[in-house]
Amino acid sequence: MIIPFPPGGTLDKVGRMLTVKLGEQFGHNVVVENRPGGNGVIGADAVAKAPADGYTLLFNASTFVTAPMTMKSVPYKVQTDFAPVAHVASAPLSVAISNKMGVTDIKGLMAAAKANPGKLNFAVGSIGSAGHLCTVKLEQAAGSTIAIVPYKGTGPAMTDLVGGQIDGFIDPVLGSVQFHKTGQLKVVGVTSAKRLPNLPDVPTVGETVPGFECASWYGVWAPAKAPADIVQKLNAAIQKALSSDMRDRLLADGIVPGGGTAADFARFQDADIATSGKIIADKKITLE
């Protein structure tokens, strides 16, 4: 299972959780290989070029389908060089800010952004990620601009946020919840429709900006020519994993388990390409 970002982020944690469950079913270990670099392109390209026998898979987030829209050249096409296998989970995001900002809520953050256009520095784990697009939505709601600081993954970005090197980071809740509870940073809002059980004290962004919602999502892909029966077998194994205690662990972390057939996942992927592509085009988001 190739994960195209560094260890330590939410993507890596969920992917490793899944591979343990798949290994239990298959009777042998499923090896995780982190191949960061190129905004996720290096790892994804390795899967696109791998033998289509079901033994090499990609575990990635929604950034997989959006990042190529921001880049001049990518050595593969998401919709033709990969076979969608399964939608694993969706994750609401947290708006986490450095304690150095002295801001305690979304209203205060938006006021700070408006008073200091282009001066607040927000990390993004990858250009075109759900967190990046959500940051764009937040700056639009504030009627201002926020400086984007690209990182090679969510783990390094969260480290710098806790250390006060950056002002904010919008990313899946799992990455920030413990730092919030220990007071190392402040989560001022979550991007779900309702407050989350693991962060009951944190309001939704929608309580300040009506209708505001964002989420990242995770899935598994195989090389495009993987036989349909292998894709179906892998999908069934993932559904079984999602009905195990993994489901409860995901929910406890504020992550919503996915599900459905491979065809369902393909439709889900294509719908996100359409909606996110419009935001990227309208905002002219590009990877320099």
Side-chain angles (χ1 to χ4, degrees), residues 159-184:
T159 298
D160 276 5
L161 179 62
V162 170
Q165 279 76 45
I166 52 173
D167 296 317
F169 186 29
I170 301 179
D171 203 55
V173 171
L174 179 57
S176 63
V177 61
Q178 290 305 320
F179 295 114
H180 171 78
K181 289 182 176 179
T182 56
Q184 293 172 274

Side-chain angles (χ1 to χ4, degrees), residues 28 43 45 51 69 72 74 83 88 109 114 123 165 183 201-202 206 228 251 282:
H28 57 78
D45 189 45
M69 304 177 199
K72 290 181 179 179
V74 175
V88 175
L109 175 60
K114 191 156 189 175
Q165 279 76 45
D201 61 316
V202 177
L251 289 169
D282 289 348

Side-chain angles (χ1 to χ4, degrees), residues 66 124 128-138 214 276-277 279-280 285:
T66 55
V124 295
S129 64
H132 185 180
L133 300 185
C134 194
T135 303
V136 170
K137 289 181 68 173
L138 184 64
C214 305
S276 296
I279 296 173
I280 291 168
I285 297 172

Side-chain angles (χ1 to χ4, degrees), residues 21 24 30 37 50 62-63 78 93 99 105 136 154 168 175 181 193 199 215 220 227 233 236 244 250 266 270 286:
K21 291 301 178 184
E24 291 172 358
V30 178
S62 47
T63 185
V78 170
L93 312 177
N99 288 331
D105 55 26
V136 170
T154 61
K181 289 182 176 179
L199 283 173
V220 174
K233 182 177 180 179
S244 70
L250 289 172
D270 293 348
T286 58

Side-chain angles (χ1 to χ4, degrees), residues 19-281:
T19 57
V20 169
K21 291 301 178 184
L22 294 181
E24 291 172 358
Q25 293 183 54
F26 297 149
H28 57 78
N29 289 337
V30 178
V31 179
V32 172
E33 183 177 343
N34 294 93
R35 287 204 194 180
N39 206 29
V41 169
I42 292 174
D45 189 45
V47 176
K49 292 178 169 60
D53 54 10
Y55 284 93
T56 303
L57 303 171
L58 175 69
F59 185 78
N60 210 344
S62 47
T63 185
F64 171 57
V65 305
T66 55
M69 304 177 199
T70 72
M71 305 172 76
K72 290 181 179 179
S73 177
V74 175
Y76 54 77
K77 293 186 182 299
V78 170
Q79 291 168 294
T80 57
D81 292 329
F82 297 86
V85 175
H87 175 207
V88 175
S90 294
L93 312 177
S94 62
V95 182
I97 60 173
S98 166
N99 288 331
K100 291 183 178 180
M101 282 198 67
V103 171
T104 59
D105 55 26
I106 286 291
K107 187 175 180 180
L109 175 60
M110 292 173 65
K114 191 156 189 175
N116 302 279
K119 292 184 179 179
L120 297 189
N121 298 312
F122 268 56
V124 295
S126 60
I127 297 295
S129 64
H132 185 180
L133 300 185
C134 194
T135 303
V136 170
K137 289 181 68 173
L138 184 64
E139 69 176 5
Q140 289 173 337
S144 186
T145 56
I146 294 172
I148 299 299
V149 182
Y151 280 76
K152 292 183 178 179
T154 61
M158 193 60 69
T159 298
D160 276 5
L161 179 62
V162 170
Q165 279 76 45
I166 52 173
D167 296 317
F169 186 29
I170 301 179
D171 203 55
V173 171
L174 179 57
S176 63
V177 61
Q178 290 305 320
F179 295 114
H180 171 78
K181 289 182 176 179
T182 56
Q184 293 172 274
L185 53 74
K186 177 73 174 178
V187 174
V188 294
V190 292
T191 65
S192 49
K194 298 179 180 179
R195 294 195 184 197
L196 300 175
N198 59 336
L199 283 173
D201 61 316
V202 177
T204 68
V205 179
E207 290 175 43
T208 301
V209 185
F212 193 105
E213 285 186 56
C214 305
S216 182
W217 53 265
Y218 309 107
V220 174
W221 290 261
K225 295 182 180 179
D229 61 329
I230 289 178
V231 171
Q232 184 176 1
K233 182 177 180 179
L234 289 166
N235 178 276
I238 292 169
Q239 302 317 310
K240 187 174 180 180
L242 292 174
S243 64
S244 70
D245 62 324
M246 179 179 173
R247 179 180 183 83
D248 295 331
R249 291 172 63 192
L250 289 172
L251 289 169
D253 288 329
I255 299 173
V256 181
T261 65
D264 291 334
F265 183 40
R267 286 189 288 270
F268 178 89
Q269 165 196 277
D270 293 348
D272 191 65
I273 288 173
T275 55
S276 296
K278 186 177 187 309
I279 296 173
I280 291 168

